[in-house]
């Protein structure tokens, strides 16, 4: 399963932002998850265990780096196993890792928009279309590992540079969801944490 950005990270209105990605078992096509994941800013996630509202904004950079280490450990596994979907409606470990890499990249772009522009409107991004178009399942785990590590470090460094009143700057999704840099940081960290739990089964 996946979660949506317009609901969380993906960006076509109604696509699930990030937390899983359902697939059509018969056709092998991704079926968008339309759940709005912004609720994680209000209460703990019962699935992964992360108490997002209690996340300290200054801790997010370190949490991104720690999460990336978890993904590197996953991607060091058997390549055939990484490509195998545990069941027809669930992404493989490799597909989840590709998604997390792209979420890190996307959120860095959006963070910069919030810091450089006044109340920007984010461009739409469909995570499910991206997974198909970029052929996540065919990508090389070692390459994905390097790209994910780089994207995580870039995003972590970006959050580390945020100071003072910058945490209150705002940005908007096309579905009407509005974030401050502070709430954006908390919303972001839930996604890779949740997906690592999807893969490892180890709750926060």
């Amino acid at each position: 399963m996946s979660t949506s950005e317009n609901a969380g990270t993906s960006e076509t209105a109604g696509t699930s932002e990030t937390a899983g990605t359902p697939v059509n078992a018969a056709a092998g096509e991704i079926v968008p998850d339309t759940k709005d994941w912004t609720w994680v800013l209000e209460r703990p996630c019962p699935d992964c265990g992360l108490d997002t509202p209690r996340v300290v904004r200054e801790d997010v950079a370190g949490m991104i780096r720690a999460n990336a280490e978890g993904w590197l450990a996953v991607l060091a596994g058997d390549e055939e196993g990484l490509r195998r979907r545990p069941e027809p409606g669930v992404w493989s470990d490799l597909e989840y890792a590709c998604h997390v890499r792209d979420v890190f990249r996307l959120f860095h772009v959006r963070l910069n928009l919030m810091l450089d522009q006044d109340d920007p409107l984010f461009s739409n991004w469909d995570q499910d279309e991206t997974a198909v178009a970029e052929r996540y399942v065919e990508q090389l785990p070692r390459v994905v590992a390097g790209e994910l590590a780089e994207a995580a470090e870039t995003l972590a460094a970006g959050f580390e540079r945020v100071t003072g009143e910058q945490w209150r700057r705002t940005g908007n999704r096309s579905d009407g969801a509005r974030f401050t840099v502070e709430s954006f940081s908390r919303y972001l960290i839930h996604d890779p944490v949740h997906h690592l739990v999807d893969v490892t089964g180890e709750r926060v």
Side-chain angles (χ1 to χ4, degrees), residues 72-144:
L72 295 185
V74 169
L75 289 166
D78 172 68
E79 185 167 333
E80 182 178 348
L82 289 172
R83 297 183 189 281
R84 186 183 306 117
R85 286 177 175 159
E87 55 186 86
V90 178
W91 268 345
S92 67
D93 293 358
L94 177 59
E95 289 171 298
Y96 272 125
C98 289
H99 169 73
V100 168
R101 172 203 61 198
D102 289 349
V103 166
F104 285 153
R105 289 171 170 173
L106 173 70
F107 273 69
H108 182 248
V109 169
R110 291 183 171 184
L111 174 61
N112 285 338
L113 285 173
M114 296 172 78
L115 296 175
D116 296 340
Q117 300 180 18
D118 291 334
D119 205 29
L121 177 64
F122 304 143
S123 300
N124 284 343
W125 176 67
D126 190 314
Q127 64 183 23
D128 300 315
E129 287 185 3
T130 299
V132 174
E134 298 298 322
R135 299 183 177 182
Y136 280 179
V137 74
E138 298 177 18
Q139 295 191 25
L140 297 175
R142 66 178 181 278
V143 174
V144 174

Side-chain angles (χ1 to χ4, degrees), residues 5-204:
E5 138 47 32
N6 263 338
T9 291
S10 142
E11 294 187 25
T12 287
T15 10
S16 93
E17 137 122 340
T18 240
T21 293
V23 180
N24 183 303
E29 296 178 357
I30 293 174
V31 178
D33 173 2
T34 57
K35 184 186 295 186
D36 183 349
W37 286 87
T38 53
W39 60 265
V40 300
L41 293 172
E42 303 171 358
R43 58 188 185 275
C45 178
D47 297 324
C48 70
L50 182 65
D51 191 350
T52 311
R54 291 183 176 273
V55 169
V56 177
R57 65 192 188 186
E58 288 85 2
D59 291 345
V60 169
M63 293 174 71
I64 291 170
R65 293 187 175 106
N67 179 263
E69 289 298 321
W71 284 105
L72 295 185
V74 169
L75 289 166
D78 172 68
E79 185 167 333
E80 182 178 348
L82 289 172
R83 297 183 189 281
R84 186 183 306 117
R85 286 177 175 159
E87 55 186 86
V90 178
W91 268 345
S92 67
D93 293 358
L94 177 59
E95 289 171 298
Y96 272 125
C98 289
H99 169 73
V100 168
R101 172 203 61 198
D102 289 349
V103 166
F104 285 153
R105 289 171 170 173
L106 173 70
F107 273 69
H108 182 248
V109 169
R110 291 183 171 184
L111 174 61
N112 285 338
L113 285 173
M114 296 172 78
L115 296 175
D116 296 340
Q117 300 180 18
D118 291 334
D119 205 29
L121 177 64
F122 304 143
S123 300
N124 284 343
W125 176 67
D126 190 314
Q127 64 183 23
D128 300 315
E129 287 185 3
T130 299
V132 174
E134 298 298 322
R135 299 183 177 182
Y136 280 179
V137 74
E138 298 177 18
Q139 295 191 25
L140 297 175
R142 66 178 181 278
V143 174
V144 174
E147 293 173 342
L148 188 152
E150 180 180 11
E153 180 55 36
T154 298
L155 180 57
F159 277 117
E160 283 181 331
R161 288 192 291 270
V162 178
T163 61
E165 289 299 303
Q166 288 181 316
W167 288 106
R168 300 179 63 181
R169 295 184 65 83
T170 57
N172 306 274
R173 281 202 320 237
S174 61
D175 65 346
R178 192 175 196 214
F179 301 91
T180 62
V181 172
E182 182 170 355
S183 65
F184 182 77
S185 71
R186 294 191 179 107
Y187 181 73
L188 165 277
I189 197 57
H190 169 260
D191 188 70
V193 167
H194 190 112
H195 288 313
L196 192 58
V197 173
D198 284 333
V199 167
T200 66
E202 299 175 6
R203 284 169 48 86
V204 176

